[in-house]
Each structure stands twice: as structure tokens, then as C-alpha cells.
Amino acid sequence: MITALAETRGATQELVAPLSDAQLETQYTPILSPLAWDLAHIAAYEDLWIAHRHGGEPLLRPDLAAMYDAFETPRPLRGSLPLLDAAGARAYLDEVRARTFDVLGRRGEAGGRWRGLWPRQRDGTLVELVLRHEQQHAETMLQALELARVDGYVPVRRDPLPFPPRGAVADDPLDLVAVPGGPCLVGAPAAGFAYDNERPRHRVDVPAFRIGRRPVTNASWLRFAEGGGYERREWWSDEGWAWKEEYDITAPEGWSGDGREWRITGWEPLVDAAPVCHVSWFEADAFARSLGARLPTELEWEKAATWDQGTQPEATLGQRAFAPAPAGSRPGSASVYGCEQLLGDVWEWTASQFDGYPGFRAHPYPEYSEIFFGQRMFVLRGGAWATAARVATPTFRNWDLPQRRQIFAGLRLAADA
Ligand SMILES: [Fe+2]
């Protein structure tokens, strides 16, 4: 666990290393934080859960607790507070980490499970929670960088840019695979780490359906846009149309209008076969309607994401390539039903609103998931190239408002059988 903590911290530091202090301290958009806030928030969260709650120590910086609490200080306010500067945030991270190692070492728990910590949920570990929290904030920081179009940011690519499809790949968003009806188990098993909203695992009866073999591509989206996708009222929900009109939305976030898109490092030609990215739920819904299809429910998605022997297939994850792999370039990712690239590349919007599974119990705190239930947030599944492999499991549930486009999110289509 110590190794995993250190590796995660190394990755976080590598991600922000190319940025100047001024870039770290700027709030580029009210829907995301200044990156220096994320860094200090990672430290505050770790200190709260490890040294304070678990180790019984006083907080290292009680004066900062409210400012770096995600709920007490909503995102729009974060740019106007007397936040720690970049150097201060780095020092805070270092000091907290020293306390973490001290507490873990003292309790002799650095490598083991902390049974009994959550009486109802004995399989969780606080270290795992803290670790994944940092990894998820790394993805949030990448969202901010991409949305802000920070010039000259060059990340360390561990994998080459995604390879082209092997052979010709039919680019058809309506290439759907059939999934038979019948009962299946959804949610995370009782053993091992999982978030509260993935539990309890339960049996559902999903009627037969069809679902996209691959994610929807840029080429398909271009056909939608050029075919009046953003002008045909009948393809849009009332709410989606109102949002599109108010913000004059005519293409995915990051598209230039002349065949290029902003990727993390700058303007690049649109890759036809790449999964479309940075579309809102409203846009995804309109795209599906334009083809007489719909988005899959999250239970359909999870059923389609079934692999043999509990193994996970190859996937573009973990901030290694800094781009999604083209649709069709990962035949080894096929699930039992033949769905490819369910994990990685881009998050996939589903038709389902975020809510608790039957028998849900909050842990370790209601603010992780429960306060978002019933808020008309839509569920995304599968993770993106920017998501840590540890986080992107077939049962992991992400959620956001239907108008949001900062997520590395696309879609695949579905239809009734
Ligand atoms: Fe957080």
C-alpha cells in the first residue's frame, strides 16, 4: 500500500510538473477548481481520513479544513479565496504524507486491511479510499487543463499515441450486438474495495436489448452535426434544446469548426475513428434520437460489460496515452457479448439517473454519493483514457449534470431487442 501511495503521488506530481505556479493558481472555469486547490484538497482529505480519523491525531491545518472541504466550499467560490499558493499546496502535501506514513507505520497497518474500521463494510480500507481520491482528482485536473486549453502543456506519455484500427473498421454507430434477456447480477461483490453506491450487489432482470459494438466516433458525430443535428428540434428534449439555444452549442466542446479539436496538448486534426469526446448528456440523447436509437441504461451497460473469469480486458486507461484509442482498435477488449472498448477511452453516458441501489447504505460519509441521489444527475460508465485503471471497474458509477461537457465523455447507442 505504501508503494501504491508513493506511485500515485509521483503520478500527480508528474501531471502538474509542466505547469507554472501561475497556471496552477488560476481558476479557468467556475465549474472546476484552480489546480492548486485540488492539490491542497488532496492533502486535506488524506490528513482527515488517515492521521485524524484513523490515527486520532489533530488535523495538521484545522484552519484550512473548511476551505478545502468540497462541500463547504463549492467550486465557483474557490478562485476567490485566500488559497495556499502552489508552493504552499506542495508543502502541505509533503507534510501530510509524512504524517500518513508515521500513522501507518506506528499502527503496523501499512500493508494490511483495517478490519473493523467500517463495521458494516469490513472490506474497505481508508488507504484505498485516499489513494483513489487522489487518482480521481488527477483526472479532474486534466479536465480543467483541457477545458482551459492551457497552451504549451506537454504531459509525459507512457504509451504511444493510439494506433489506427487494424484493417477497415465499419464506422456504424448502429452496429449493435444482441444481449439476451434474463437475470444478471449487478453491483460490486461484497468482498474487496468498492464505493458505497456500487453496493449491494443485486439480481436484476434485464429484458433483451441491443447495444453498440463500439463507441460512437468523431466521423459519426460529424455526420450528425452536418446533417442538422444541432438544428433539428425534433431530435432534442425540451430541456436539451433550451440549453443548446442558451449556450449556442453547435459541436462537441473543443471542436474548432474547421476539422480540428483541442486535445490536451493543443489543436489536432479530428481523428475520424476516435470516439467522440466532451459531449453533454443532452447532446448524446439527441444523437441517439436522430438515429432512432437510445442510450443504454446503466444496468444494460453493466450486463454488456461481462467478461470471462472476472478478468478485465485490454483498455486505454491510466493517463498513459493522453488520448482515446480509435474505435475498433482494441478487438481484445470484447466482452462476452462482443462489446468493445467498454472500459477506457471515453466515459459513456447512460439513460439512467444516479440513485442508490436497493438496500444502499452510505459509507464512509453521506457526501460521497447519497446527497447526489435524486438530483437528475446522469450515470456515466467505463472510465476514460484519463481515468486510473484502479478506479475504472465494470461496476464503477460516475455521475454528473446533463449539461456538463468537461468530462472525457462520449456514448454508445442501444435499442430494444
Ligand atoms: Fe475530492
Side-chain angles (χ1 to χ4, degrees), residues 116-360:
L117 197 58
W118 298 330
R120 294 187 312 236
Q121 216 72 57
R122 289 170 167 271
D123 43 274
T125 75
L126 278 186
V127 178
E128 188 71 35
L129 184 79
V130 162
L131 184 71
R132 293 188 190 208
H133 177 257
E134 180 164 346
Q135 292 179 329
Q136 288 178 262
H137 273 275
E139 179 170 351
T140 314
M141 290 194 282
L142 276 169
Q143 291 174 1
L145 287 170
E146 186 142 292
L147 205 60
R149 301 184 188 172
V150 173
D151 231 346
Y153 178 74
V154 180
V156 178
R157 285 187 206 275
R158 304 216 172 278
D159 291 344
L161 276 172
F163 32 87
R166 286 171 223 160
V169 172
D171 181 18
D172 179 2
L174 287 173
D175 178 8
L176 309 177
V177 303
V179 180
C184 68
L185 284 172
V186 296
F193 181 90
Y195 291 101
D196 58 1
N197 63 57
E198 300 172 66
R199 288 195 168 118
R201 187 172 228 197
H202 58 290
R203 185 175 294 273
V204 290
D205 202 343
V206 181
F209 64 100
R210 292 175 295 143
I211 186 166
R213 186 182 305 279
R214 304 190 177 108
V216 170
T217 63
N218 282 333
S220 295
W221 200 276
L222 196 59
R223 284 198 296 278
F224 165 70
E226 290 179 348
Y230 287 90
E231 287 120 46
R232 299 272 293 268
R233 176 68 185 85
E234 68 272 24
W235 290 340
W236 293 75
S237 63
D238 292 348
E239 211 185 336
W241 184 261
W243 165 80
K244 178 194 82 67
E245 290 290 292
E246 182 176 355
Y247 295 98
D248 195 22
I249 305 293
T250 57
E253 165 68 33
W255 282 28
S256 65
D258 64 357
R260 296 174 301 153
E261 69 176 328
W262 182 273
R263 288 204 190 161
I264 200 81
T265 52
W267 290 108
E268 292 184 26
L270 267 183
V271 177
D272 281 351
V276 69
C277 190
H278 293 307
V279 293
S280 66
W281 185 91
F282 288 137
E283 291 168 280
D285 175 58
F287 178 91
R289 292 184 196 213
S290 78
L291 292 171
R294 60 175 173 80
L295 297 175
T297 68
E298 65 165 322
L299 299 184
E300 288 172 340
W301 191 99
E302 191 166 323
K303 182 168 182 178
T306 303
W307 290 280
D308 287 327
Q309 298 159 356
T311 54
Q312 289 196 15
E314 62 176 59
T316 305
L317 285 163
Q319 303 169 10
R320 300 180 61 83
F322 284 84
S329 65
R330 289 204 178 277
S333 67
S335 75
V336 166
Y337 297 111
C339 272
E340 298 173 13
Q341 293 171 276
L342 285 158
L343 293 185
D345 303 303
V346 291
W347 289 98
E348 299 179 14
W349 285 110
T350 73
S352 302
Q353 292 188 26
F354 188 52
D355 215 328
Y357 287 157
F360 168 86

Side-chain angles (χ1 to χ4, degrees), residues 1-14:
M1 223 50 209
I2 293 287
T3 308
L5 279 171
E7 283 173 358
T8 296
R9 181 55 48 82
T12 306
Q13 287 166 336
E14 190 177 273

Side-chain angles (χ1 to χ4, degrees), residues 348-417:
E348 299 179 14
W349 285 110
T350 73
S352 302
Q353 292 188 26
F354 188 52
D355 215 328
Y357 287 157
F360 168 86
R361 285 189 295 191
H363 86 86
Y365 54 104
E367 289 82 4
Y368 182 76
S369 329
E370 194 172 14
I371 62 164
F372 299 102
F373 292 165
Q375 303 292 313
R376 289 207 79 243
M377 304 273 201
F378 284 85
V379 173
L380 302 108
R381 291 297 198 108
W385 61 262
T387 313
R390 203 175 185 112
V391 171
T393 68
T395 58
F396 184 80
R397 308 169 74 201
N398 190 6
W399 65 92
D400 212 330
L401 295 166
Q403 69 269 30
R404 287 284 187 257
R405 310 211 294 171
Q406 85 283 1
I407 303 175
F408 300 97
L411 71 155
R412 82 177 60 218
L413 298 183
D416 296 344

Side-chain angles (χ1 to χ4, degrees), residues 37-38 41-42 45 68-71 75 78 133-134 136-137 140 365 368:
W37 185 92
D38 285 278
H41 165 75
I42 289 168
Y45 190 92
Y68 291 106
D69 182 290
F71 297 94
R75 284 170 173 166
R78 291 174 193 167
H133 177 257
E134 180 164 346
Q136 288 178 262
H137 273 275
T140 314
Y365 54 104
Y368 182 76

Side-chain angles (χ1 to χ4, degrees), residues 49-71:
W49 287 103
I50 307 282
H52 183 57
R53 293 275 174 88
H54 187 56
E57 302 283 341
L59 289 174
L60 176 67
R61 293 290 304 271
D63 55 315
L64 299 179
M67 198 154 62
Y68 291 106
D69 182 290
F71 297 94

